[in-house]
Amino acid sequence: MTSRNDISNRTDWHADPSTPPIKWEITSGLVPYPLAVERMEILAELIHQGKEPERVWLLEHPPLYTAGTSATDKDLKDPHRFPVYATGRGGQYTYHGPGQRVAYVMLNLNKRQRDVRAFVAALEQWLINTVDQFNIVGERREDRVGIWVARPDKGAGVEDKIAAIGIRLRKWVTFHGISLNVEPDLEHFSGIIACGVEKHGQTSLVDMGLPVAMFDADIALRRTFEEIFGPVEVV
C-alpha cells in the first residue's frame, strides 16, 4: 500500500492556469462554530457550481470541542467544559479556541486530482513546511493524522501534536481543513483525548519557545500554501 510519505511530495496540486486564484480570507475576532460550518456548506456548493472561486478561510473560534465521524464517547473526558459540536469532517475529537489558527480549505479537486489520501498528505506537507519556517521539525505518522514534534526535553520517545487535520468532501469539493497551534491555552485540550491519541500531548509555536504572533503564522501559512496549491488572492 502506498503511504502518505510516498505521495506527500507530489507537486501537481495546482489547478489549470485558467482557474482564478484561490481567495485567501482572514476573519478577525472569534467566529461561532455553527456560523462557520453554515458558510462553508454554502461556499462548497457554490464552488462546485462554478459560482465562487476556491477559498481558504482563516479564523479563530471561541473555546469548543468538535466530534468527527470517528469520535467515541470515551474520548470526551469533560463534556460540560465547552460546547461540543458534532461535525461531518473525518477524525475524532479536537479542540478549537483562541490562539489557534484554523484554516478552512475549500478546493475543487475536480480541477486538481481526485485523490483524498494524496490531498491529506498535501495538507500535512503544507503544515510541515509552515512550521519549518520557524525552524521546527514537524513530522507525519502513518498511524495517526496530524503533525507531530519530537520532545526529547520531556523524555525519550515523547511527541506532541502541533497541528491537526480534518476534512470533508462533497462532490469532490473539500471543506473543513487544518488547525495550527500558535498560542492556544494547551490546558483546554485536557477535556478530550484529542484525535483518540492519549499517549502524546499538545504543543504550540509559543510553547516551543518561539515569540510567534498570529500575523507571523499567517504569512508562513500563505507562503507555503502557494508553493503546493498555487497562487492566492487576498480578500
Side-chain angles (χ1 to χ4, degrees), residues 15-217:
D16 184 277
S18 64
T19 302
I22 301 161
K23 297 293 185 183
W24 186 267
E25 178 181 354
I26 302 176
T27 297
S28 60
L30 301 179
V31 179
Y33 188 76
L35 280 178
V37 172
E38 181 181 11
R39 184 169 187 241
M40 275 193 291
E41 297 265 0
I42 294 170
L43 284 170
E45 179 58 31
L46 291 174
I47 290 168
H48 171 72
Q49 296 175 10
K51 296 178 180 178
E52 275 285 336
E54 298 171 302
R55 185 177 301 255
V56 178
W57 183 21
L58 280 68
L59 50 81
E60 293 175 82
H61 286 304
L64 58 92
Y65 298 130
T66 64
T69 54
S70 301
T72 58
D73 291 343
K74 66 180 178 60
D75 290 339
L76 182 59
K77 298 164 65 176
D78 190 351
H80 306 295
R81 187 171 192 175
F82 298 128
V84 180
Y85 296 97
T87 179
R89 62 156 176 82
Q92 301 178 33
Y93 280 103
T94 193
Y95 165 78
H96 293 313
Q100 181 191 71
R101 175 54 85 206
V102 173
Y104 290 132
V105 182
M106 291 162 272
L107 299 182
N108 188 350
L109 299 192
N110 292 294
K111 297 184 177 181
R112 297 172 186 272
Q113 53 174 307
R114 291 186 176 191
D115 188 330
V116 177
R117 189 175 177 84
F119 178 64
V120 171
L123 293 178
E124 289 174 331
Q125 194 62 51
W126 173 30
L127 288 165
I128 288 170
N129 294 352
T130 297
V131 299
D132 181 65
Q133 300 286 299
F134 303 102
N135 297 313
I136 292 176
V137 178
E139 298 177 310
R140 56 171 56 83
R141 293 290 178 261
E142 285 298 321
D143 61 337
R144 54 190 190 271
V145 177
I147 300 305
W148 301 83
V149 178
R151 300 301 302 269
D153 54 312
K154 293 185 176 182
V158 176
E159 298 177 330
D160 284 343
K161 192 173 190 177
I162 198 167
I165 297 171
I167 65 166
R168 187 176 181 183
L169 277 77
R170 181 175 297 146
K171 302 174 184 176
W172 289 101
V173 175
T174 70
F175 54 116
H176 295 276
I178 63 97
S179 60
L180 173 65
N181 295 337
V182 180
E183 192 180 7
D185 187 335
L186 296 177
E187 201 278 329
H188 288 175
F189 284 92
S190 66
I192 57 172
I193 299 176
C195 300
V197 180
E198 191 167 20
K199 178 181 177 182
H200 304 293
Q202 300 283 332
T203 190
S204 67
L205 295 174
V206 171
D207 182 57
M208 296 289 292
L210 300 167
V212 178
M214 193 66 74
F215 176 78
D216 303 313

